[in-house]
Amino acid sequence: MSQTALHDSTPAPATAIAPARLTGRSLPRWAPAGFAVAGIVLGCGLGAVAGWHSKIQWGLLSALFFVAISYVATSVVENKRQAKDKLATSVVWVCFILAVIPLFSLIWVTVSRGVKVLDGYFLTHSMAGVPGFEAGGGVYHAIVGTLQQVGLATLISVPIGLLTAIYLVEYGKGALAKAVTFFVDVMTGIPSIVAGLFLLSIMLMFELSPSGLMGALALAILMIPVVVRSTEEMLKLVPNELREASLALGVPKWRTIVKVVIPTALGGITTGVMLAVARIAGETAPIMLLVFGSQLINTNPFEGAQSSLPFYIWEQYRVGSEASYDRAWAAALVLIAFVMILNLVARGIARWKAPKTGR
């Protein structure tokens, strides 16, 4: 065969085909904000025309207009698939705003009404000798009671809850583990009044007097299942590879748990403990049954009646005067600040104790 024939039979190199560009119309970045403004204008305008005086109705109508405008505009400009995605995104944003508005409203009302009497005198004096319907007095005795009762409950419940969670995750098998899990689930739903009645029956049986310790024991009953559940979930998130690597080096299992598992999950464990503290910090029923409340400063939680911030709020609100209402709102603001400070401290400890990771 000649060279010319061979040359002619050689296939020609394929020409490079440039990838087709995906072209299509899309909404600008400011479109969601524009849809929100349009929804608010339409919702408020229609509510005003209809004579609705409730701002909640105006807000719900605006949210519906926002979702509808987002879906229709995206369908017209882009396509049905993007419209469905925009619909889901809009619904998520609306639900988020609906959840945040009550929170900010609560904080705003508490701060605006609580700052009226919240000062150094209010924080450093008790209600001793001050009639409830008159101005004056403070919340110092309630702060002392809350710190001692919550502190004792934390000291009792955290070791028990932590060790129980470690048993369930690392060692628990068989009927005992199932029974412990079942009772923890049952305790999670126990009302606070039931825990208070349980301790009250023990007080009556052994003729014990009211004290901060009795209230702390009831709070510990409420706190233990929350600590167990949160710690258990955090321990389950620790990768098994870390445990296996430690055991492969000959490290005992108990030391692996102490040095590897717990430090890895410490951030989540601390957050769970703070959630449990927030859970019990606002309880009033056990304090009413077991601590009885007091207008005086009692720094001994093991003897005598004490007060607490939730009990103080209920007590002042029950009086019904303008001065007592101001004290109740100020005490509520102190309680919120107490929980927030605890959460900030917990986050700091968790970040400080968290295992360091390299780049």
Side-chain angles (χ1 to χ4, degrees), residues 69-230:
I69 292 172
S70 299
Y71 179 76
V72 173
T74 309
S75 300
V76 173
V77 176
E78 298 181 4
N79 52 60
K80 291 291 185 180
R81 184 175 182 180
Q82 292 296 330
K84 293 179 181 179
D85 178 75
K86 188 67 67 175
L87 175 64
T89 305
S90 301
V91 171
V92 170
W93 271 104
V94 169
C95 293
F96 169 74
I97 294 173
L98 292 177
V100 168
I101 287 176
L103 175 62
F104 279 102
S105 176
L106 173 64
I107 294 176
W108 172 259
V109 173
T110 305
V111 172
S112 60
R113 300 197 61 174
V115 295
K116 293 181 180 180
V117 297
L118 185 60
D119 51 18
Y121 179 87
F122 181 76
L123 295 175
T124 55
H125 287 74
S126 67
M127 290 296 296
V130 180
F133 54 86
E134 293 184 2
V139 76
Y140 179 75
H141 61 299
I143 294 176
V144 171
T146 295
L147 291 176
Q148 291 182 346
Q149 294 160 23
V150 172
L152 287 173
T154 305
L155 290 176
I156 295 170
S157 60
V158 169
I160 297 175
L162 181 60
L163 294 175
T164 303
I166 291 174
Y167 167 76
L168 293 176
V169 176
E170 303 294 337
Y171 299 98
K173 293 181 180 179
L176 179 59
K178 293 180 180 179
V180 172
T181 302
F182 172 76
F183 283 111
V184 168
D185 291 338
V186 172
M187 289 178 63
T188 304
I190 290 179
S192 59
I193 189 68
V194 175
L197 290 173
F198 172 71
L199 267 298
L200 180 62
S201 63
I202 295 178
M203 287 176 55
L204 296 176
M205 288 173 57
F206 294 95
E207 298 182 355
L208 301 175
S209 61
S211 65
L213 177 62
M214 294 292 104
L217 292 175
L219 297 179
I221 294 175
L222 301 173
M223 190 174 176
I224 286 174
V226 181
V227 176
V228 173
R229 271 284 164 253
S230 59

Side-chain angles (χ1 to χ4, degrees), residues 148-359:
Q148 291 182 346
Q149 294 160 23
V150 172
L152 287 173
T154 305
L155 290 176
I156 295 170
S157 60
V158 169
I160 297 175
L162 181 60
L163 294 175
T164 303
I166 291 174
Y167 167 76
L168 293 176
V169 176
E170 303 294 337
Y171 299 98
K173 293 181 180 179
L176 179 59
K178 293 180 180 179
V180 172
T181 302
F182 172 76
F183 283 111
V184 168
D185 291 338
V186 172
M187 289 178 63
T188 304
I190 290 179
S192 59
I193 189 68
V194 175
L197 290 173
F198 172 71
L199 267 298
L200 180 62
S201 63
I202 295 178
M203 287 176 55
L204 296 176
M205 288 173 57
F206 294 95
E207 298 182 355
L208 301 175
S209 61
S211 65
L213 177 62
M214 294 292 104
L217 292 175
L219 297 179
I221 294 175
L222 301 173
M223 190 174 176
I224 286 174
V226 181
V227 176
V228 173
R229 271 284 164 253
S230 59
T231 304
E232 185 180 0
E233 295 303 322
M234 291 301 106
L235 294 178
K236 288 179 179 178
L237 292 177
V238 178
N240 286 328
E241 288 78 5
L242 294 178
R243 298 179 176 89
E244 294 170 356
S246 177
L247 295 174
L249 294 175
V251 179
K253 187 170 184 177
W254 70 268
R255 193 171 183 85
T256 299
I257 296 172
V258 173
K259 293 295 186 179
V260 177
V261 177
I262 293 179
T264 304
L266 185 60
I269 293 173
T270 307
T271 303
V273 171
M274 289 302 103
L275 289 175
V277 171
R279 160 81 168 84
I280 66 171
E283 292 294 344
T284 309
I287 308 303
M288 295 172 61
L289 293 174
L290 306 172
V291 188
F292 281 16
S294 174
Q295 304 291 333
L296 306 176
I297 300 173
N298 181 11
T299 57
N300 184 7
F302 303 101
E303 183 179 0
Q306 271 190 330
S307 185
S308 68
L309 286 172
F311 183 85
Y312 180 88
I313 295 169
W314 172 79
E315 188 179 43
Q316 294 300 316
Y317 185 81
R318 186 184 59 173
V319 173
S321 66
E322 188 65 26
S324 65
Y325 286 156
D326 292 339
R327 287 192 293 265
W329 282 107
L333 183 57
V334 172
L335 182 59
I336 292 175
F338 170 70
V339 175
M340 290 180 62
I341 291 172
L342 283 180
N343 278 275
L344 292 176
V345 171
R347 289 180 180 272
I349 294 175
R351 181 171 296 182
W352 174 43
K353 291 294 185 179
K356 304 299 184 294
T357 58
R359 292 184 178 274

